[in-house]
Amino acid sequence: MRHNAAMTESASPHYVLGFPPAAHPGARVLVLGTMPGVASLAAVRYYAHPRNAFWPISATLLGFDLALPYEARIQALNDAGVALWDVLAACERPGSLDAAIDSQSAQANDFAGFLAAHPHIRRICFNGGSAQALFRRHVLPALSQSHPDMAYAALPSTSPAHAAMPFAAKLQAWRPIVPD
C-alpha cells in the first residue's frame, strides 16, 4: 500500500496531504486519526512513529503479530473488520501535533462516499480528542442525517504526545475497535 503523501508544490511547506483509507468493503469498524504525523508521512505508513501505541494495541486486541510487516498488519486489521483512515484529507500543520493544525486549512475526507462503499460500518472510533472534534465540526452535521444509527467511540490518543495514560489503561479503553 503505497500512497502519495507529498506536499503540494503550490502550497506552503506545512501543507500536508493524508493517505487513502486502508479498508475492505466488509469493514464493520472505522478507526479515525486526524492527519498522519511527520514520521508517518515520511514512511508513507499509518502510525509509523516508533513510540505510537496504535500497532501494539491493535495487535493485542485483534490477535495478530506486532512483528508482521506493515502491509500484513494492515491486512490483519482489514481481516478483523477494521478500517483505518483520518478525518482530514489535507491541512496546514507544522510538525506533528494536532494542536498545530490550522483550522482554516482543514479539509475533511469524503465520508459520504467512503460509507457508501463500506456499508457494513456501524461504529466509528476516534484516536484522540482532536480527531473527534474535527469530525464533529467538519463531517457529523451532514453524516448524522444519512447515518443516524452510527455508533461513535472516543478513544484516548495512541500518540507518544499522550504519554500520561499508561499502556494498560489505553489498551482497555481501545476495546471498542474489536468488531461485534
Side-chain angles (χ1 to χ4, degrees):
M1 182 172 110
R2 286 307 216 206
H3 311 295
N4 181 4
M7 293 180 273
T8 64
E9 291 178 28
S10 61
S12 92
H14 301 298
Y15 188 78
V16 291
L17 298 173
F19 304 145
H24 283 186
R28 297 182 310 279
V29 173
L30 172 60
V31 175
L32 292 175
T34 53
M35 171 63 71
V38 172
S40 293
L41 291 168
V44 194
R45 295 177 175 195
Y46 281 104
Y47 302 106
H49 193 288
R51 290 193 336 261
N52 192 298
F54 176 80
W55 289 114
I57 287 171
S58 297
T60 302
L61 291 176
L62 300 173
F64 63 86
D65 185 353
L66 179 59
L68 289 172
Y70 175 75
E71 289 78 11
R73 284 181 277 147
I74 290 290
Q75 184 66 49
L77 280 179
N78 290 166
D79 289 348
V82 177
L84 191 57
W85 207 17
D86 288 304
V87 175
L88 298 181
C91 68
E92 283 201 42
R93 183 197 62 209
S96 293
L97 295 178
D98 290 344
I101 293 172
D102 173 12
S103 62
Q104 299 295 349
S105 71
Q107 299 171 33
N109 275 309
D110 176 14
F111 284 92
F114 176 83
L115 291 172
H118 300 86
H120 303 291
I121 290 180
R122 297 288 179 257
R123 184 180 320 127
I124 296 176
C125 298
F126 302 102
N127 188 345
S130 294
Q132 182 181 24
L134 286 164
F135 186 88
R136 279 187 178 161
R137 179 176 179 195
H138 296 283
V139 181
L140 191 58
L143 196 65
S144 62
Q145 296 290 336
S146 60
H147 293 82
D149 296 330
M150 186 68 69
Y152 300 95
L155 308 176
S157 174
T158 59
S159 168
H162 185 63
M165 179 181 264
F167 180 82
K170 283 186 184 182
L171 182 65
Q172 184 63 31
W174 270 74
R175 294 211 176 273
I177 71 163
V178 178
D180 299 328

